[in-house]
Amino acid sequence: MRVSALMTTPPVTVGMRATAQEAARRMEEQAVGCVLVTEEGTLRGIVTDRDIAVRAVARAAGGEAPVAGLMSAPVITVGASDDLERAYHLFRRHDIRRLPVLDGGRPVGILAIDDLFCDALQRLADLLTPLSWSALREQARPAADGRVHRPGHGSR
């Protein structure tokens, strides 16, 4: 499966001159935990909600602090056409939670570790559903005496 199948698009971006407050406002408006910092469409860095809390607020830099001083750079990225195995490898190797997704050098999305968790859980559910139905049918079969055993309804 390709990264593009699970990424969130479009990425939320701010310019290099944006302030911490502007970045936080964008995160709130879009219900995301990070913004990509871009300059003329080129990715320059990433700012997370944690960066704002730790680097701006805790250091008393305040909401007017420029994102250029708060962002993480250079940024670990993944290509939109890359296989998800590459993303798994990058998450493990770099101990990060979000990967900007690039296509032709331009940011086109974000892949969060949560996206991989949701995909893994959905795949597990897809595998377990037929097994669950099979187990329920098996348990609901009549016994030799004609009674039907129902899970959770044992005899007393």
Side-chain angles (χ1 to χ4, degrees), residues 5 23 26 29 35 38-39 44 49-50 54-55 61-63 72 91-93 102 117-119 121 124 128 133 141:
R26 291 284 313 215
E29 290 168 354
V35 292
T38 60
E39 184 176 52
R44 297 293 183 210
D49 47 7
R50 186 175 188 282
V54 172
R55 296 179 182 161
S72 296
F91 280 124
R92 281 191 311 268
R93 183 170 185 205
L102 304 181
F117 286 140
C118 288
D119 181 59
L121 289 173
L124 184 59
L128 290 177
W133 283 110
R141 287 193 181 145

Side-chain angles (χ1 to χ4, degrees), residues 3 76-83 86-87 90 99-103 111:
V3 167
I76 307 300
T77 63
V78 66
S81 61
D82 285 349
D83 192 81
R86 171 110 175 103
L90 292 170
L99 279 169
V101 181
L102 304 181
D103 187 18
L111 182 67

Side-chain angles (χ1 to χ4, degrees), residues 1 6 84 117-128:
M1 181 183 291
L6 294 182
L84 281 177
F117 286 140
C118 288
D119 181 59
L121 289 173
Q122 183 60 55
R123 289 170 183 256
L124 184 59
D126 291 347
L127 289 172
L128 290 177

Side-chain angles (χ1 to χ4, degrees), residues 24-108:
R25 188 174 296 123
R26 291 284 313 215
M27 288 183 215
E28 180 184 28
E29 290 168 354
Q30 300 297 317
V32 296
C34 72
V35 292
L36 301 183
V37 181
T38 60
E39 184 176 52
E40 296 179 11
T42 300
L43 180 64
R44 297 293 183 210
I46 186 170
V47 175
T48 67
D49 47 7
R50 186 175 188 282
D51 293 333
I52 292 172
V54 172
R55 296 179 182 161
V57 177
R59 294 180 187 164
E64 293 306 311
V67 293
L70 305 173
M71 69 185 189
S72 296
V75 184
I76 307 300
T77 63
V78 66
S81 61
D82 285 349
D83 192 81
L84 281 177
E85 287 301 317
R86 171 110 175 103
Y88 276 98
H89 171 77
L90 292 170
F91 280 124
R92 281 191 311 268
R93 183 170 185 205
H94 297 285
D95 194 27
I96 53 178
R97 294 182 41 96
R98 298 172 182 96
L99 279 169
V101 181
L102 304 181
D103 187 18
R106 302 285 187 193
V108 294

